[in-house]
Amino acid sequence: MARNSEKAQSMLFRFRAQQAASMGIIDAGRTRRPKMITEVVQIPACEKWRGQVLKEISRKVSKIQEQSLSDFQIRDLNDEINKLMREKHMWEVQIRNLGGPNYMRGGGKVFDEEGKEIPGGGKGYRYFGRARELPGVKEMFESSKPKAPDKPLEGRADMRKNVDASYYGYNLDEEDGTLLAYEGEREKEAFENLLAKGEKGEEGWEPLPGDNGDGVGWRLPTPEEVQEELVDRRRRTLLDKLG
């Protein structure tokens, strides 16, 4: 029986490993993840490395929740998670460029070991788990929250408190005589002004049909007459501009 180390050094084993690498079938657990992502041109290999990154993100997000960690350890873990997030995005870009599925279409969602979505899968630096409770970070999140208005908006019930009968037009002006007295006074002033100025009335006023005593009553113009009058006014305006 040959040992595992001897099997690994055999020519057949190395040939099969090289053949699997050329086909994109790579054992991600035994091979170091490449630094140059753009040099990996097989879609299965990219998907395997992306899956490995997702597992590391899930493991570190679960670890950052531990209460025994110090603030420095939490900051280091949060930096590592953000670095893995950027690497995951780069693998997704490479898969899309090679013609594979577009994992970025759903916003690059990441889930932990319990199946819950991990917040912070978008762009920019994000804080995960207990990192959101670090000194300085917690104050930053609290300051970014929208402040409550000083005075709450009035609701429908509050507005109805200020509505009385006068809002709907049920005033008591006519019953107590205030409105009638005001209207009578204004009518008397208008009549005295008319008598003082004679039949001419105020400047720019014209007598209405039927008020001259000529027996001509009220008559509304027809649509044809209105149209003819408008055309005539337009014609006179153009002639005045040309003349």
Side-chain angles (χ1 to χ4, degrees):
M1 297 295 290
R3 299 178 182 178
N4 293 332
S5 60
E6 295 176 355
K7 290 182 180 179
Q9 296 299 327
S10 64
M11 184 177 296
L12 179 60
F13 181 84
R14 284 182 292 175
F15 172 75
R16 288 181 176 177
Q18 184 179 2
Q19 187 180 23
S22 61
M23 297 175 59
I25 306 174
I26 300 176
D27 188 359
R30 295 184 180 180
T31 310
R32 181 175 297 180
R33 198 160 60 242
K35 299 293 183 181
M36 298 299 294
I37 297 177
T38 54
E39 294 181 355
V40 183
V41 295
Q42 294 86 14
I43 295 178
C46 294
E47 290 182 341
K48 282 182 176 294
W49 295 129
R50 176 181 176 272
Q52 187 185 75
V53 174
L54 288 175
K55 291 179 180 179
E56 292 185 15
I57 293 174
S58 178
R59 185 171 64 254
K60 291 182 182 295
V61 168
S62 301
K63 185 178 180 181
I64 205 173
Q65 306 286 352
E66 296 179 2
Q67 299 295 329
S68 60
L69 296 177
S70 63
D71 292 349
F72 297 101
Q73 292 174 326
I74 293 175
R75 292 182 186 275
D76 292 341
L77 268 176
N78 198 75
D79 292 339
E80 294 174 5
I81 295 173
N82 278 274
K83 183 178 179 181
L84 289 171
M85 282 289 187
R86 291 192 295 269
E87 184 179 355
K88 179 186 73 70
H89 176 73
M90 295 175 64
W91 282 115
E92 292 173 352
V93 172
Q94 181 68 4
I95 293 173
R96 184 191 61 181
N97 294 338
L98 294 175
N102 186 7
Y103 293 103
M104 298 183 294
R105 184 178 302 174
K109 296 182 180 180
V110 184
F111 301 89
D112 58 10
E113 297 177 351
E114 298 179 358
K116 298 181 180 179
E117 182 180 353
I118 299 174
K123 298 180 180 179
Y125 191 89
R126 299 301 179 97
Y127 294 90
F128 303 87
R130 290 187 58 198
R132 301 174 66 91
E133 302 176 359
L134 291 173
V137 179
K138 186 176 181 180
E139 289 78 2
M140 180 183 65
F141 280 106
E142 291 179 353
S143 61
S144 62
K145 293 181 180 179
K147 297 182 179 179
D150 297 337
K151 184 180 179 181
L153 299 176
E154 295 184 357
R156 187 181 297 272
D158 298 332
M159 296 177 63
R160 288 178 177 176
K161 294 179 181 178
N162 301 325
V163 176
D164 52 7
S166 60
Y167 177 81
Y168 298 98
Y170 296 101
N171 295 324
L172 301 177
D173 297 338
E174 295 185 358
E175 295 184 4
D176 58 8
T178 304
L179 179 61
L180 295 177
Y182 174 77
E183 291 178 350
E185 183 179 354
R186 297 296 298 171
E187 185 178 356
K188 183 178 179 181
E189 292 178 1
F191 184 73
E192 292 176 353
N193 293 334
L194 182 61
L195 292 178
K197 295 180 180 180
E199 296 181 357
K200 294 183 179 181
E202 296 184 4
E203 184 178 358
W205 284 27
E206 296 180 1
L208 295 174
D211 295 341
N212 295 331
D214 53 1
V216 179
W218 288 90
R219 187 182 69 85
L220 293 176
T222 61
E224 290 78 9
E225 294 175 346
V226 173
Q227 185 68 20
E228 184 179 356
E229 177 65 22
L230 293 175
V231 172
D232 187 50
R233 290 184 182 181
R234 182 63 176 173
R235 186 185 301 110
R236 289 197 302 267
T237 303
L238 294 176
L239 291 176
D240 293 341
K241 291 182 178 180
L242 295 175

